[in-house]
Amino acid sequence: GKSGYDHFMLKEIHEQPRALRQCLRGRVEEQTASVDIGDLADLAPTGVQFVACGTSYHAAMYGAQLFRDAGVPAQAFLASEYATSPPPVGNSLVVGISQSGETADTLSALREAESRGARTLTLTNTVGSTMDRECDHTLYIRSGPEIGVAASKTFAGQLTALNLFSMATAERNSTRRDVVPELRKLPGNVQKILDSSSAEAVADYYEDAESYFFIGRGYQYPVALEGALKLKEISYEHAEGFAAGELKHGPLALVDENTPVFAMAVGDDEKARKTLGNIKEVEARDAPVVAVTDGRNDAERYADHVLEIPETHPRAAAVLGNVQLQLVSYHIADQLGRSIDKPRNLAKSVTVE
Ligand code: M6R
């Protein structure tokens, strides 16, 4: 049942601390900053191609960035396009990310890769799924069952498991020492957001907007895309996600006082400064700005509303910022009276190409 929540989605959003604890259990050791994912650590890929659809594709974009940051060439592909126009696989490991393990587009991309001699791995939530059975290797995200059509806790699980995977197979000690403690703090930090989020008030304020933009850079870019997908999927409102730097190359023409812009503003480095510049660009066009921020940059000065997240590593900030966006989408959809757990035209598991 829904354990007292109005929708499975809200229940599953609130299950994230537990899902993340499960994902991390026995796999990270803080003292030595070590990561244990068993034999998978031996994979040490020299290249990675991720294939996935929808929310899982956003996780794939994040995963590819993790590997690139570790010096390993990596790319994310939409599974339907991969199967249509497969790239050379070389020695790459091909990783299919899928909550269900049954998505037809992802399955056929994996089969295509396999037929070209690639080693395959699936990152999935579903033990015994077709991908679990067909791929050479599996890394489980351990999120527990997800009933709502909208992926919520499983996206958090995917991002977390991707960190484990990249740390165990590609990353240096120094990175692990920075990241492992922040992963350990994730369940508690997600709980803090769930306990104190002002997302419902923000949703109330903006529920009449015509169109919603989401922007982010680096690890926050896939989160911007995910924020927009979630909102359109469950509220039926128009929403778009962009790389923050891409706005002025076209989409900025659409921005006016009726276009709330949700900006992921995390950290105080060069990336954060550039994103702040993008926030100023939309603010100058009178767009309302909602900053999802850890307070380490000046974003709140230019923002009409702020959704706070605890200070952490940018990779963990992606999980935390996403929780705020999930809550905003949920509350907008709820106020509009939408069928949140079963949006029109959509299925939980898409088994046709
Ligand atoms: O089961 P999968 O992760 O392979 O599903 C992929 C997409 O169909 C899925 O993520 C879809 O985009 C969600 N409904 C988004 O909330």
Side-chain angles (χ1 to χ4, degrees):
K2 294 179 207 151
S3 320
Y5 290 101
D6 289 344
H7 298 93
F8 281 108
M9 185 185 179
L10 190 60
K11 173 175 178 251
E12 287 156 3
I13 288 172
H14 282 265
E15 281 171 352
Q16 286 176 116
R18 197 174 62 175
L20 295 177
R21 254 180 233 113
Q22 277 290 125
C23 182
L24 294 169
R25 181 158 299 147
R27 290 169 161 176
V28 283
E29 216 278 300
E30 200 159 339
Q31 298 289 298
T32 54
S34 55
V35 177
D36 182 0
I37 53 167
D39 295 347
L40 297 180
D42 302 333
L43 283 171
T46 53
V48 186
Q49 296 179 345
F50 289 95
V51 295
C53 306
T55 293
S56 295
Y57 172 68
H58 301 147
M61 292 175 66
Y62 174 97
Q65 200 179 327
L66 289 176
F67 277 91
R68 288 196 298 267
D69 279 356
V72 177
Q75 274 174 285
F77 296 87
L78 287 167
S80 56
E81 288 297 312
Y82 188 97
T84 303
S85 169
V89 283
N91 287 322
S92 294
L93 176 72
V94 178
V95 177
I97 305 183
S98 176
Q99 184 284 129
S100 61
E102 302 295 346
T103 301
D105 287 314
T106 309
L107 257 177
S108 75
L110 285 165
R111 286 173 181 160
E112 178 63 39
E114 208 215 332
S115 76
R116 291 160 170 254
R119 291 174 303 163
T120 57
L121 179 144
T122 183
L123 187 82
T124 186
N125 195 32
T126 314
V127 180
S129 59
T130 309
M131 284 179 218
D132 187 13
R133 287 182 278 111
E134 288 191 10
C135 288
D136 298 321
H137 308 280
T138 300
L139 180 60
Y140 296 113
I141 64 171
R142 304 181 184 159
S143 301
E146 190 177 67
I147 309 296
V149 163
S152 57
K153 62 176 177 173
T154 55
F155 182 65
Q158 289 167 342
L159 301 191
T160 304
L162 283 163
N163 274 288
L164 299 176
F165 184 48
S166 67
M167 285 194 291
T169 62
E171 275 161 352
R172 294 171 191 287
N173 270 335
S174 56
T175 310
R176 290 206 302 268
R177 268 195 296 275
D178 287 345
V179 174
V180 166
E182 298 308 312
L183 292 184
R184 291 294 297 267
K185 280 189 230 152
L186 262 183
N189 280 339
V190 169
Q191 191 62 53
K192 278 186 200 155
I193 293 172
L194 294 172
D195 292 341
S196 67
S197 176
S198 53
E200 186 166 2
V202 170
D204 265 334
Y205 197 85
Y206 292 110
E207 64 162 317
D208 295 326
E210 276 164 31
S211 187
Y212 301 79
F213 278 17
F214 294 79
I215 60 171
R217 158 180 267 102
Y219 289 109
Q220 319 310 320
Y221 169 37
V223 175
L225 297 184
E226 173 60 9
L229 175 63
K230 207 87 325 175
L231 183 57
K232 62 185 112 170
E233 179 179 26
I234 62 171
S235 76
Y236 316 154
E237 295 294 303
H238 181 251
E240 296 293 337
F242 301 103
E246 194 61 16
L247 264 190
K248 57 183 167 302
H249 299 288
L252 197 56
L254 293 172
V255 169
D256 64 13
E257 68 279 8
N258 298 314
T259 326
V261 178
F262 288 78
M264 313 302 298
V266 169
D268 58 357
D269 59 0
E270 184 57 21
K271 282 182 208 153
R273 273 189 292 282
K274 285 185 180 171
T275 303
L276 196 63
N278 305 128
I279 291 174
K280 291 179 194 166
E281 285 162 13
V282 299
E283 198 249 4
R285 271 86 190 168
D286 296 325
V289 173
V290 182
V292 180
T293 183
D294 54 9
R296 291 167 69 205
N297 44 64
D298 262 350
E300 60 270 13
R301 270 184 53 198
Y302 301 92
D304 298 270
H305 290 90
V306 170
L307 295 167
E308 283 174 51
I309 63 168
E311 216 179 295
T312 185
H313 193 280
R315 297 176 179 193
V319 178
L320 300 179
N322 188 61
V323 175
Q324 291 284 23
L325 298 186
Q326 288 171 341
L327 290 168
V328 171
S329 287
Y330 173 82
H331 288 296
I332 291 178
D334 192 38
Q335 278 147 18
L336 295 172
R338 304 299 191 221
S339 165
I340 292 180
D341 286 332
K342 282 186 191 301
R344 66 187 182 198
N345 310 338
L346 301 178
K348 181 67 179 162
S349 180
V350 184
T351 52
V352 289
E353 278 183 65

